[in-house]
Amino acid sequence: MPSCVVLRSFSTTRTPLAASAAARATLAKMVQPVPTERAAELRDNYDSIANQVKAAAEKRGAGPTVSSPSYSAADSNQVDGQGPHPQPRLVAVSKYKPAGDLLALHEHGVRHFGENYPQELEAKAKELPRDIAWHYIGTLQSNKCKMLASIPNLFAIETLTSVKAANQLHNTLSALSLPRETRLNVFLQVNTSGEEQKSGLPALSRSSSSSADGPLVDLAVHILQKCPTLRLKGLMTIGSLEASTSDAPNPDFERLKETREALVAALRAQTGGAEQDDALRKAVDEGEEEELELSMGMSSDFVEAIEQGSTNVRVGSSIFGARPAKW
Ligand SMILES: *Cc1c(COP(=O)(O)O)cnc(C)c1O
């Protein structure tokens, strides 16, 4: 089969790879498959985490509805807004792991993968099936925005912290020769633990009157008003390791929830002001139909995170095994 089949499935996020056996065969040739024992191990690990996610969501009870991305029809075991216990999205964090590992999980039905390094994400996105919904979860440098925004099946940037980067993303998306069919989801990263070495914008607090402004509110307003190719999807935190290993409710997760509340209040206040902005009001109204998401929880604390309201957990080592010492 001509290679244009592959190219075509690259061009539209709606075409499931299954639609093209030829494309699948081509991809399978490019990616080194893992031994069957490794594939089985990955499936078992993933299923075990997915079951824990489900149990934690049930324990939490009906939470905010999380809608599935419009283009991943095959996404049945991932995000589901329907039913009394909406499932948080489980993102398999695959940094440093070979493409064969991801392909084995993809064959198991997994679609949401998270990566920390722009080049690694770009390379994997090229060789792996086009119906993967990629999450960029690494530190976002504005000189990498163009490349990231050009990946057609990028589902979300979870680490946006600046107007400059938002503009770079928006400018790239506006100029794509093949425009995306959906807006690019962005999560604003919040430094809930206040640790100097963590990136993220300062958290907001419910009570403080100063929460109506500040960089987080400014960035949210900027996206809603000036970046129609972006969709303000939610807030993200990494949190401190210390907090994640104690028994008490994780204060980082509480702070992210509180920040969401304060942000929504601030956005509402802005649209209610004398100088009403139609675009902003529309965006806020639209946003209220679907609550802003909370991306929080990793291998060590995703169960607690879900119990505290997470809608998006990012789990790496518990699925793929330990990473090199740097991590
Ligand atoms: C690596 C990473 C994860 C996954 O961490 P694990 O502890 O391996 O589950 C989640 N979120 C971010 C931002 C990461 O960098």
Side-chain angles (χ1 to χ4, degrees), residues 91 93-95 115-117 137-139 158-159 189 236-238 295 297-302 313-319 321-323 327:
V91 180
V93 174
S94 45
K95 59 188 171 216
E115 289 283 342
N116 286 61
Y117 303 100
I137 62 171
T139 304
E158 295 206 16
T159 47
Q189 186 174 353
M236 177 273 207
T237 186
I238 295 178
S295 174
M298 321 194 340
S299 287
S300 59
D301 54 15
F302 71 92
V313 292
R314 312 174 307 267
V315 178
S317 42
S318 298
I319 296 173
R323 288 180 295 270
W327 289 95

PDB file of all heavy atoms in Angstrom, residues 91 93-95 115-117 137-139 158-159 189 236-238 295 297-302 313-319 321-323 327, ligand 1:
ATOM      1  N   VAL A  91      -3.807   8.690  32.729  1.00  0.00           N
ATOM      2  CA  VAL A  91      -2.771   8.986  31.728  1.00  0.00           C
ATOM      3  C   VAL A  91      -1.542   8.141  32.051  1.00  0.00           C
ATOM      4  O   VAL A  91      -0.994   8.220  33.153  1.00  0.00           O
ATOM      5  CB  VAL A  91      -2.397  10.483  31.744  1.00  0.00           C
ATOM      6  CG1 VAL A  91      -1.327  10.782  30.699  1.00  0.00           C
ATOM      7  CG2 VAL A  91      -3.632  11.352  31.510  1.00  0.00           C
ATOM      8  N   VAL A  93       2.081   7.573  31.979  1.00  0.00           N
ATOM      9  CA  VAL A  93       3.253   8.440  31.785  1.00  0.00           C
ATOM     10  C   VAL A  93       4.449   7.597  31.321  1.00  0.00           C
ATOM     11  O   VAL A  93       4.992   6.800  32.074  1.00  0.00           O
ATOM     12  CB  VAL A  93       3.588   9.217  33.072  1.00  0.00           C
ATOM     13  CG1 VAL A  93       4.893  10.005  32.894  1.00  0.00           C
ATOM     14  CG2 VAL A  93       2.442  10.168  33.420  1.00  0.00           C
ATOM     15  N   SER A  94       4.824   7.800  30.065  1.00  0.00           N
ATOM     16  CA  SER A  94       5.730   6.870  29.390  1.00  0.00           C
ATOM     17  C   SER A  94       7.116   7.438  29.108  1.00  0.00           C
ATOM     18  O   SER A  94       7.849   6.899  28.284  1.00  0.00           O
ATOM     19  CB  SER A  94       5.076   6.415  28.087  1.00  0.00           C
ATOM     20  OG  SER A  94       4.497   7.524  27.382  1.00  0.00           O
ATOM     21  N   LYS A  95       7.482   8.506  29.796  1.00  0.00           N
ATOM     22  CA  LYS A  95       8.799   9.104  29.539  1.00  0.00           C
ATOM     23  C   LYS A  95       9.900   8.067  29.709  1.00  0.00           C
ATOM     24  O   LYS A  95       9.866   7.262  30.643  1.00  0.00           O
ATOM     25  CB  LYS A  95       9.035  10.291  30.464  1.00  0.00           C
ATOM     26  CG  LYS A  95       8.973   9.962  31.940  1.00  0.00           C
ATOM     27  CD  LYS A  95       9.012  11.246  32.781  1.00  0.00           C
ATOM     28  CE  LYS A  95       8.729  10.959  34.230  1.00  0.00           C
ATOM     29  NZ  LYS A  95       7.967  12.021  34.889  1.00  0.00           N
ATOM     30  N   GLU A 115       4.012  12.529  28.275  1.00  0.00           N
ATOM     31  CA  GLU A 115       5.461  12.616  28.043  1.00  0.00           C
ATOM     32  C   GLU A 115       5.989  13.939  28.585  1.00  0.00           C
ATOM     33  O   GLU A 115       5.287  14.955  28.585  1.00  0.00           O
ATOM     34  CB  GLU A 115       5.764  12.525  26.539  1.00  0.00           C
ATOM     35  CG  GLU A 115       5.529  11.138  25.940  1.00  0.00           C
ATOM     36  CD  GLU A 115       6.649  10.136  26.273  1.00  0.00           C
ATOM     37  OE1 GLU A 115       7.744  10.575  26.671  1.00  0.00           O
ATOM     38  OE2 GLU A 115       6.399   8.919  26.139  1.00  0.00           O
ATOM     39  N   ASN A 116       7.267  13.916  28.996  1.00  0.00           N
ATOM     40  CA  ASN A 116       7.883  15.108  29.600  1.00  0.00           C
ATOM     41  C   ASN A 116       8.835  15.877  28.706  1.00  0.00           C
ATOM     42  O   ASN A 116       9.223  16.978  29.048  1.00  0.00           O
ATOM     43  CB  ASN A 116       8.702  14.697  30.830  1.00  0.00           C
ATOM     44  CG  ASN A 116       7.835  14.339  31.996  1.00  0.00           C
ATOM     45  OD1 ASN A 116       7.044  13.399  31.907  1.00  0.00           O
ATOM     46  ND2 ASN A 116       7.955  15.089  33.073  1.00  0.00           N
ATOM     47  N   TYR A 117       9.296  15.242  27.623  1.00  0.00           N
ATOM     48  CA  TYR A 117      10.310  15.886  26.794  1.00  0.00           C
ATOM     49  C   TYR A 117       9.782  16.089  25.384  1.00  0.00           C
ATOM     50  O   TYR A 117       9.343  15.128  24.750  1.00  0.00           O
ATOM     51  CB  TYR A 117      11.593  15.045  26.795  1.00  0.00           C
ATOM     52  CG  TYR A 117      12.074  14.837  28.205  1.00  0.00           C
ATOM     53  CD1 TYR A 117      11.810  13.652  28.880  1.00  0.00           C
ATOM     54  CD2 TYR A 117      12.701  15.876  28.889  1.00  0.00           C
ATOM     55  CE1 TYR A 117      12.184  13.486  30.209  1.00  0.00           C
ATOM     56  CE2 TYR A 117      13.081  15.719  30.216  1.00  0.00           C
ATOM     57  CZ  TYR A 117      12.819  14.532  30.870  1.00  0.00           C
ATOM     58  OH  TYR A 117      13.171  14.388  32.185  1.00  0.00           O
ATOM     59  N   ILE A 137       3.437  16.834  29.706  1.00  0.00           N
ATOM     60  CA  ILE A 137       3.400  17.123  31.142  1.00  0.00           C
ATOM     61  C   ILE A 137       4.742  17.645  31.659  1.00  0.00           C
ATOM     62  O   ILE A 137       4.943  17.767  32.859  1.00  0.00           O
ATOM     63  CB  ILE A 137       2.984  15.874  31.954  1.00  0.00           C
ATOM     64  CG1 ILE A 137       3.997  14.739  31.768  1.00  0.00           C
ATOM     65  CG2 ILE A 137       1.588  15.393  31.549  1.00  0.00           C
ATOM     66  CD1 ILE A 137       3.762  13.562  32.718  1.00  0.00           C
ATOM     67  N   GLY A 138       5.665  17.940  30.740  1.00  0.00           N
ATOM     68  CA  GLY A 138       6.978  18.448  31.154  1.00  0.00           C
ATOM     69  C   GLY A 138       6.962  19.967  31.270  1.00  0.00           C
ATOM     70  O   GLY A 138       5.995  20.634  30.907  1.00  0.00           O
ATOM     71  N   THR A 139       8.056  20.503  31.765  1.00  0.00           N
ATOM     72  CA  THR A 139       8.189  21.963  31.835  1.00  0.00           C
ATOM     73  C   THR A 139       8.059  22.535  30.430  1.00  0.00           C
ATOM     74  O   THR A 139       8.662  22.026  29.489  1.00  0.00           O
ATOM     75  CB  THR A 139       9.565  22.326  32.417  1.00  0.00           C
ATOM     76  OG1 THR A 139       9.676  21.681  33.689  1.00  0.00           O
ATOM     77  CG2 THR A 139       9.702  23.826  32.601  1.00  0.00           C
ATOM     78  N   GLU A 158      -0.342  20.162  29.759  1.00  0.00           N
ATOM     79  CA  GLU A 158      -0.800  20.221  31.147  1.00  0.00           C
ATOM     80  C   GLU A 158      -0.007  21.222  31.982  1.00  0.00           C
ATOM     81  O   GLU A 158      -0.268  21.373  33.175  1.00  0.00           O
ATOM     82  CB  GLU A 158      -0.703  18.831  31.791  1.00  0.00           C
ATOM     83  CG  GLU A 158      -1.645  17.817  31.153  1.00  0.00           C
ATOM     84  CD  GLU A 158      -2.025  16.700  32.115  1.00  0.00           C
ATOM     85  OE1 GLU A 158      -1.816  16.848  33.336  1.00  0.00           O
ATOM     86  OE2 GLU A 158      -2.548  15.681  31.630  1.00  0.00           O
ATOM     87  N   THR A 159       0.955  21.871  31.365  1.00  0.00           N
ATOM     88  CA  THR A 159       1.922  22.635  32.149  1.00  0.00           C
ATOM     89  C   THR A 159       2.056  24.078  31.688  1.00  0.00           C
ATOM     90  O   THR A 159       3.137  24.650  31.744  1.00  0.00           O
ATOM     91  CB  THR A 159       3.296  21.934  32.046  1.00  0.00           C
ATOM     92  OG1 THR A 159       3.535  21.615  30.663  1.00  0.00           O
ATOM     93  CG2 THR A 159       3.332  20.659  32.850  1.00  0.00           C
ATOM     94  N   GLN A 189      -0.567  25.045  35.149  1.00  0.00           N
ATOM     95  CA  GLN A 189       0.139  24.410  36.258  1.00  0.00           C
ATOM     96  C   GLN A 189       0.223  25.351  37.449  1.00  0.00           C
ATOM     97  O   GLN A 189       0.591  26.522  37.319  1.00  0.00           O
ATOM     98  CB  GLN A 189       1.537  23.966  35.833  1.00  0.00           C
ATOM     99  CG  GLN A 189       2.238  23.176  36.935  1.00  0.00           C
ATOM    100  CD  GLN A 189       3.571  22.606  36.500  1.00  0.00           C
ATOM    101  OE1 GLN A 189       3.948  22.680  35.334  1.00  0.00           O
ATOM    102  NE2 GLN A 189       4.294  22.033  37.454  1.00  0.00           N
ATOM    103  N   MET A 236      -3.453  21.961  37.005  1.00  0.00           N
ATOM    104  CA  MET A 236      -2.600  20.806  37.255  1.00  0.00           C
ATOM    105  C   MET A 236      -1.605  21.126  38.366  1.00  0.00           C
ATOM    106  O   MET A 236      -1.130  22.258  38.474  1.00  0.00           O
ATOM    107  CB  MET A 236      -1.858  20.477  35.958  1.00  0.00           C
ATOM    108  CG  MET A 236      -0.857  19.336  36.035  1.00  0.00           C
ATOM    109  SD  MET A 236       0.799  19.840  36.561  1.00  0.00           S
ATOM    110  CE  MET A 236       1.793  18.583  35.772  1.00  0.00           C
ATOM    111  N   THR A 237      -1.324  20.130  39.213  1.00  0.00           N
ATOM    112  CA  THR A 237      -0.250  20.293  40.190  1.00  0.00           C
ATOM    113  C   THR A 237       0.558  19.018  40.308  1.00  0.00           C
ATOM    114  O   THR A 237       0.051  17.920  40.037  1.00  0.00           O
ATOM    115  CB  THR A 237      -0.766  20.686  41.587  1.00  0.00           C
ATOM    116  OG1 THR A 237       0.370  20.968  42.438  1.00  0.00           O
ATOM    117  CG2 THR A 237      -1.567  19.564  42.247  1.00  0.00           C
ATOM    118  N   ILE A 238       1.796  19.168  40.685  1.00  0.00           N
ATOM    119  CA  ILE A 238       2.620  18.005  41.000  1.00  0.00           C
ATOM    120  C   ILE A 238       2.571  17.762  42.502  1.00  0.00           C
ATOM    121  O   ILE A 238       2.357  16.651  42.954  1.00  0.00           O
ATOM    122  CB  ILE A 238       4.074  18.209  40.509  1.00  0.00           C
ATOM    123  CG1 ILE A 238       4.074  18.302  38.976  1.00  0.00           C
ATOM    124  CG2 ILE A 238       4.969  17.068  40.974  1.00  0.00           C
ATOM    125  CD1 ILE A 238       5.429  18.548  38.360  1.00  0.00           C
ATOM    126  N   SER A 295      -5.944  18.056  37.371  1.00  0.00           N
ATOM    127  CA  SER A 295      -4.954  17.032  37.061  1.00  0.00           C
ATOM    128  C   SER A 295      -4.022  16.915  38.245  1.00  0.00           C
ATOM    129  O   SER A 295      -3.182  17.783  38.486  1.00  0.00           O
ATOM    130  CB  SER A 295      -4.171  17.408  35.801  1.00  0.00           C
ATOM    131  OG  SER A 295      -3.117  16.472  35.600  1.00  0.00           O
ATOM    132  N   GLY A 297      -2.195  13.747  41.071  1.00  0.00           N
ATOM    133  CA  GLY A 297      -2.052  12.348  41.450  1.00  0.00           C
ATOM    134  C   GLY A 297      -1.092  11.633  40.512  1.00  0.00           C
ATOM    135  O   GLY A 297      -1.224  11.727  39.296  1.00  0.00           O
ATOM    136  N   MET A 298      -0.093  10.946  41.125  1.00  0.00           N
ATOM    137  CA  MET A 298       0.888  10.160  40.382  1.00  0.00           C
ATOM    138  C   MET A 298       0.936   8.778  41.037  1.00  0.00           C
ATOM    139  O   MET A 298       0.071   8.445  41.833  1.00  0.00           O
ATOM    140  CB  MET A 298       2.254  10.856  40.429  1.00  0.00           C
ATOM    141  CG  MET A 298       2.108  12.363  40.308  1.00  0.00           C
ATOM    142  SD  MET A 298       3.532  13.388  39.947  1.00  0.00           S
ATOM    143  CE  MET A 298       4.969  12.485  40.359  1.00  0.00           C
ATOM    144  N   SER A 299       1.959   7.984  40.703  1.00  0.00           N
ATOM    145  CA  SER A 299       1.992   6.606  41.215  1.00  0.00           C
ATOM    146  C   SER A 299       1.777   6.524  42.729  1.00  0.00           C
ATOM    147  O   SER A 299       1.047   5.670  43.216  1.00  0.00           O
ATOM    148  CB  SER A 299       3.331   5.941  40.880  1.00  0.00           C
ATOM    149  OG  SER A 299       3.376   5.634  39.512  1.00  0.00           O
ATOM    150  N   SER A 300       2.426   7.428  43.450  1.00  0.00           N
ATOM    151  CA  SER A 300       2.419   7.286  44.910  1.00  0.00           C
ATOM    152  C   SER A 300       1.129   7.798  45.553  1.00  0.00           C
ATOM    153  O   SER A 300       0.862   7.504  46.708  1.00  0.00           O
ATOM    154  CB  SER A 300       3.609   8.037  45.499  1.00  0.00           C
ATOM    155  OG  SER A 300       3.524   9.396  45.130  1.00  0.00           O
ATOM    156  N   ASP A 301       0.340   8.579  44.827  1.00  0.00           N
ATOM    157  CA  ASP A 301      -0.780   9.232  45.512  1.00  0.00           C
ATOM    158  C   ASP A 301      -2.046   9.384  44.665  1.00  0.00           C
ATOM    159  O   ASP A 301      -2.910  10.185  44.989  1.00  0.00           O
ATOM    160  CB  ASP A 301      -0.329  10.603  46.041  1.00  0.00           C
ATOM    161  CG  ASP A 301       0.279  11.486  44.954  1.00  0.00           C
ATOM    162  OD1 ASP A 301       0.100  11.174  43.761  1.00  0.00           O
ATOM    163  OD2 ASP A 301       0.932  12.483  45.298  1.00  0.00           O
ATOM    164  N   PHE A 302      -2.167   8.608  43.593  1.00  0.00           N
ATOM    165  CA  PHE A 302      -3.317   8.828  42.716  1.00  0.00           C
ATOM    166  C   PHE A 302      -4.649   8.440  43.365  1.00  0.00           C
ATOM    167  O   PHE A 302      -5.683   9.038  43.058  1.00  0.00           O
ATOM    168  CB  PHE A 302      -3.118   8.131  41.360  1.00  0.00           C
ATOM    169  CG  PHE A 302      -3.202   6.630  41.411  1.00  0.00           C
ATOM    170  CD1 PHE A 302      -4.414   5.985  41.195  1.00  0.00           C
ATOM    171  CD2 PHE A 302      -2.082   5.858  41.678  1.00  0.00           C
ATOM    172  CE1 PHE A 302      -4.496   4.601  41.246  1.00  0.00           C
ATOM    173  CE2 PHE A 302      -2.156   4.479  41.733  1.00  0.00           C
ATOM    174  CZ  PHE A 302      -3.370   3.846  41.518  1.00  0.00           C
ATOM    175  N   VAL A 313      -5.367  11.574  36.389  1.00  0.00           N
ATOM    176  CA  VAL A 313      -4.183  11.144  37.137  1.00  0.00           C
ATOM    177  C   VAL A 313      -3.091  10.740  36.154  1.00  0.00           C
ATOM    178  O   VAL A 313      -3.360  10.241  35.071  1.00  0.00           O
ATOM    179  CB  VAL A 313      -4.485   9.985  38.117  1.00  0.00           C
ATOM    180  CG1 VAL A 313      -5.382  10.471  39.254  1.00  0.00           C
ATOM    181  CG2 VAL A 313      -5.107   8.791  37.418  1.00  0.00           C
ATOM    182  N   ARG A 314      -1.837  11.013  36.543  1.00  0.00           N
ATOM    183  CA  ARG A 314      -0.696  10.774  35.665  1.00  0.00           C
ATOM    184  C   ARG A 314       0.190   9.716  36.322  1.00  0.00           C
ATOM    185  O   ARG A 314       0.917  10.002  37.262  1.00  0.00           O
ATOM    186  CB  ARG A 314       0.088  12.077  35.468  1.00  0.00           C
ATOM    187  CG  ARG A 314      -0.811  13.287  35.126  1.00  0.00           C
ATOM    188  CD  ARG A 314       0.010  14.557  35.082  1.00  0.00           C
ATOM    189  NE  ARG A 314       0.791  14.777  36.273  1.00  0.00           N
ATOM    190  CZ  ARG A 314       0.386  15.503  37.333  1.00  0.00           C
ATOM    191  NH1 ARG A 314      -0.775  16.118  37.334  1.00  0.00           N
ATOM    192  NH2 ARG A 314       1.169  15.617  38.397  1.00  0.00           N
ATOM    193  N   VAL A 315       0.112   8.498  35.832  1.00  0.00           N
ATOM    194  CA  VAL A 315       0.791   7.395  36.501  1.00  0.00           C
ATOM    195  C   VAL A 315       1.858   6.799  35.584  1.00  0.00           C
ATOM    196  O   VAL A 315       1.556   6.361  34.468  1.00  0.00           O
ATOM    197  CB  VAL A 315      -0.228   6.315  36.929  1.00  0.00           C
ATOM    198  CG1 VAL A 315       0.499   5.139  37.579  1.00  0.00           C
ATOM    199  CG2 VAL A 315      -1.256   6.914  37.883  1.00  0.00           C
ATOM    200  N   GLY A 316       3.104   6.810  36.061  1.00  0.00           N
ATOM    201  CA  GLY A 316       4.212   6.303  35.265  1.00  0.00           C
ATOM    202  C   GLY A 316       4.795   5.016  35.795  1.00  0.00           C
ATOM    203  O   GLY A 316       4.512   3.925  35.299  1.00  0.00           O
ATOM    204  N   SER A 317       5.603   5.124  36.864  1.00  0.00           N
ATOM    205  CA  SER A 317       6.389   3.969  37.297  1.00  0.00           C
ATOM    206  C   SER A 317       5.549   2.767  37.724  1.00  0.00           C
ATOM    207  O   SER A 317       5.988   1.630  37.562  1.00  0.00           O
ATOM    208  CB  SER A 317       7.361   4.384  38.409  1.00  0.00           C
ATOM    209  OG  SER A 317       6.732   5.243  39.319  1.00  0.00           O
ATOM    210  N   SER A 318       4.359   2.980  38.226  1.00  0.00           N
ATOM    211  CA  SER A 318       3.536   1.832  38.618  1.00  0.00           C
ATOM    212  C   SER A 318       3.038   1.038  37.415  1.00  0.00           C
ATOM    213  O   SER A 318       2.606  -0.103  37.554  1.00  0.00           O
ATOM    214  CB  SER A 318       2.316   2.264  39.428  1.00  0.00           C
ATOM    215  OG  SER A 318       2.724   2.873  40.613  1.00  0.00           O
ATOM    216  N   ILE A 319       3.080   1.656  36.247  1.00  0.00           N
ATOM    217  CA  ILE A 319       2.672   0.931  35.034  1.00  0.00           C
ATOM    218  C   ILE A 319       3.892   0.382  34.306  1.00  0.00           C
ATOM    219  O   ILE A 319       3.945  -0.794  33.933  1.00  0.00           O
ATOM    220  CB  ILE A 319       1.873   1.854  34.087  1.00  0.00           C
ATOM    221  CG1 ILE A 319       0.562   2.288  34.750  1.00  0.00           C
ATOM    222  CG2 ILE A 319       1.607   1.144  32.749  1.00  0.00           C
ATOM    223  CD1 ILE A 319      -0.225   3.332  33.953  1.00  0.00           C
ATOM    224  N   GLY A 321       7.239   0.511  35.367  1.00  0.00           N
ATOM    225  CA  GLY A 321       8.413   0.157  36.144  1.00  0.00           C
ATOM    226  C   GLY A 321       9.277   1.367  36.375  1.00  0.00           C
ATOM    227  O   GLY A 321       9.028   2.439  35.822  1.00  0.00           O
ATOM    228  N   ALA A 322      10.323   1.198  37.172  1.00  0.00           N
ATOM    229  CA  ALA A 322      11.175   2.321  37.555  1.00  0.00           C
ATOM    230  C   ALA A 322      11.871   2.918  36.337  1.00  0.00           C
ATOM    231  O   ALA A 322      12.125   2.243  35.351  1.00  0.00           O
ATOM    232  CB  ALA A 322      12.212   1.850  38.567  1.00  0.00           C
ATOM    233  N   ARG A 323      12.125   4.210  36.445  1.00  0.00           N
ATOM    234  CA  ARG A 323      12.866   4.914  35.404  1.00  0.00           C
ATOM    235  C   ARG A 323      14.329   5.033  35.835  1.00  0.00           C
ATOM    236  O   ARG A 323      14.651   4.813  36.991  1.00  0.00           O
ATOM    237  CB  ARG A 323      12.275   6.299  35.192  1.00  0.00           C
ATOM    238  CG  ARG A 323      10.927   6.308  34.503  1.00  0.00           C
ATOM    239  CD  ARG A 323      10.418   7.724  34.337  1.00  0.00           C
ATOM    240  NE  ARG A 323      10.131   8.378  35.611  1.00  0.00           N
ATOM    241  CZ  ARG A 323       8.953   8.338  36.232  1.00  0.00           C
ATOM    242  NH1 ARG A 323       7.962   7.668  35.717  1.00  0.00           N
ATOM    243  NH2 ARG A 323       8.778   8.962  37.375  1.00  0.00           N
ATOM    244  N   TRP A 327      15.135  10.099  37.765  1.00  0.00           N
ATOM    245  CA  TRP A 327      13.774  10.234  38.264  1.00  0.00           C
ATOM    246  C   TRP A 327      13.624   9.505  39.570  1.00  0.00           C
ATOM    247  O   TRP A 327      12.612   9.205  40.048  1.00  0.00           O
ATOM    248  CB  TRP A 327      12.773   9.729  37.214  1.00  0.00           C
ATOM    249  CG  TRP A 327      12.752  10.694  36.095  1.00  0.00           C
ATOM    250  CD1 TRP A 327      13.478  10.611  34.934  1.00  0.00           C
ATOM    251  CD2 TRP A 327      12.037  11.913  36.020  1.00  0.00           C
ATOM    252  NE1 TRP A 327      13.248  11.701  34.170  1.00  0.00           N
ATOM    253  CE2 TRP A 327      12.374  12.517  34.798  1.00  0.00           C
ATOM    254  CE3 TRP A 327      11.131  12.553  36.878  1.00  0.00           C
ATOM    255  CZ2 TRP A 327      11.840  13.728  34.415  1.00  0.00           C
ATOM    256  CZ3 TRP A 327      10.613  13.758  36.490  1.00  0.00           C
ATOM    257  CH2 TRP A 327      10.977  14.339  35.265  1.00  0.00           C
TER     258      TRP A 327
HETATM  259  C1  LIG B   1       7.023  11.584  35.731  1.00  0.00           C
HETATM  260  C2  LIG B   1       5.791  12.317  36.050  1.00  0.00           C
HETATM  261  C3  LIG B   1       4.633  11.650  36.481  1.00  0.00           C
HETATM  262  C4  LIG B   1       4.590  10.164  36.767  1.00  0.00           C
HETATM  263  O1  LIG B   1       5.279   9.884  37.932  1.00  0.00           O
HETATM  264  P1  LIG B   1       5.233   8.428  38.623  1.00  0.00           P
HETATM  265  O2  LIG B   1       5.592   8.688  40.022  1.00  0.00           O
HETATM  266  O3  LIG B   1       6.216   7.592  37.897  1.00  0.00           O
HETATM  267  O4  LIG B   1       3.861   7.909  38.482  1.00  0.00           O
HETATM  268  C5  LIG B   1       3.497  12.402  36.679  1.00  0.00           C
HETATM  269  N1  LIG B   1       3.473  13.737  36.485  1.00  0.00           N
HETATM  270  C6  LIG B   1       4.568  14.398  36.068  1.00  0.00           C
HETATM  271  C7  LIG B   1       4.476  15.871  35.863  1.00  0.00           C
HETATM  272  C8  LIG B   1       5.746  13.718  35.847  1.00  0.00           C
HETATM  273  O5  LIG B   1       6.829  14.401  35.459  1.00  0.00           O
END
